[in-house]
Amino acid sequence: MQPKVYVTRRIPESGINLLQQSCDVEIWDSDDVVPRDVFLEAVADKDGVLCLLTDKVDAETLDVAKNAKIFANMAVGFDNIDVDECTKRGVMASNTPGVLTDTTADFAFTLLMAAARRIREGHEFVHAGKWETWGPLLLMGQDIHHATLGLIGLGRIGTEMARRGQGFSMRVIYNDVVRREDLEQELGLEYADFDTVLKESDFVSLHVPYMPATHHLISTEQLALMKESAILINTARGAIVDPQALYTALKSGEIWAAGLDVTEPEPIPMDDPLLTLDNCLIAPHIASASFNTRNDMSELAANNILAALSGKRPPTILNPEVLEDS
Ligand code: GLV
């Protein structure tokens, strides 16, 4: 009998095709999140699960998923998975790092440029029939070239963001729990403490994972350190920024603009005050959404499952200690 795999959403076909070569695949064939009760029932008899950041893999899930060898997240972030709980039970967990790095950095830089140069406001201005003449004062924004780009987090995506900044002749400074002198040398980056990055940057871009230590890492006090002309970019996780503090800072002009691909909560409720602001550009969590990258993510998640189910090491396993113990 073939191993049973559950896929929690419609995903690019390439990953499904890989799985179907040797597994019995059941798919939640929808673009909506699988309801929790359906998810729990579906995982009960599966050997592997391809899940998304909208699926919670916690003790309750693991209690039900008695046969599961692996939960393979189709995302690099894995704050939806309780990895410690998986490890305790000998269940593998994996994510999709690497394949989405450039695409996500491209999008973070796109948000940065769009917020700085007021693309959304320009588009709306034209569509509202307000464009009557060339205006010397019309929709002035912030310069990108030669500005200071401050990176909070210098992992894979942060590093690629640094390279993009350098393409625009920016000064790039960063803060991370791990100092990367190799990258400082290679890319000409400057390390600075957290507050200095906030104070000196024209653009602050967040590239840290979400965890208890990064919950509302950017709140009232941190926003107050930023320049009045500064722009905050968040393509990491919504809850790294305190949304109420961000609203107040944007509304009062304490910072100049924000570009967000992630919000707290997601989706952002239609009555969220951030939606009333012209200086807050919001995208629906699509930073990795290029055709190629989403194909690659679905294939990597599938390959993690196929490896786990054939006794091999999943290429991007998060808890390899599970393998060492077996
Ligand atoms: C998307 O947010 C991801 O973590 O891949």
Side-chain angles (χ1 to χ4, degrees), residues 53 73-79 96 100 104 157 235-237 261-262 266 285-288 294 297:
L53 55 87
N73 222 28
M74 193 183 125
V76 66
F78 52 89
D79 47 287
T96 57
L100 49 66
T104 304
I157 299 169
T235 52
R237 283 292 180 269
D261 185 46
V262 287
E266 284 184 17
H285 204 149
I286 54 171
S288 67
R294 286 287 164 88
M297 289 166 70

Side-chain angles (χ1 to χ4, degrees), residues 276-320:
T276 65
L277 299 174
D278 284 339
N279 58 349
C280 190
L281 181 62
I282 307 181
H285 204 149
I286 54 171
S288 67
S290 73
F291 292 106
N292 286 338
T293 291
R294 286 287 164 88
N295 272 335
D296 290 349
M297 289 166 70
S298 80
E299 284 176 27
L300 180 51
N303 280 325
N304 276 310
I305 292 179
L306 293 174
L309 298 185
S310 58
K312 299 192 190 109
R313 181 190 171 102
T316 52
I317 186 169
L318 289 162
N319 52 355

Side-chain angles (χ1 to χ4, degrees), residues 177-239:
V177 286
V178 183
R179 186 159 173 186
R180 293 292 305 270
E181 289 182 41
D182 54 333
L183 290 173
E184 288 170 33
Q185 293 268 323
E186 185 192 328
L187 300 173
L189 314 181
E190 295 167 43
Y191 175 84
D193 63 52
F194 183 66
D195 286 1
T196 303
V197 172
L198 297 176
K199 279 185 205 154
E200 293 193 4
S201 298
D202 299 300
F203 299 90
V204 173
S205 190
L206 307 176
H207 300 286
V208 287
Y210 179 66
M211 53 175 87
T214 59
H215 179 76
H216 291 185
L217 182 69
I218 302 294
S219 189
T220 307
E221 210 181 299
Q222 293 70 35
L223 291 160
L225 293 177
M226 290 171 65
K227 298 181 183 180
E228 281 184 10
S229 55
I231 298 176
L232 178 71
I233 303 298
N234 189 6
T235 52
R237 283 292 180 269

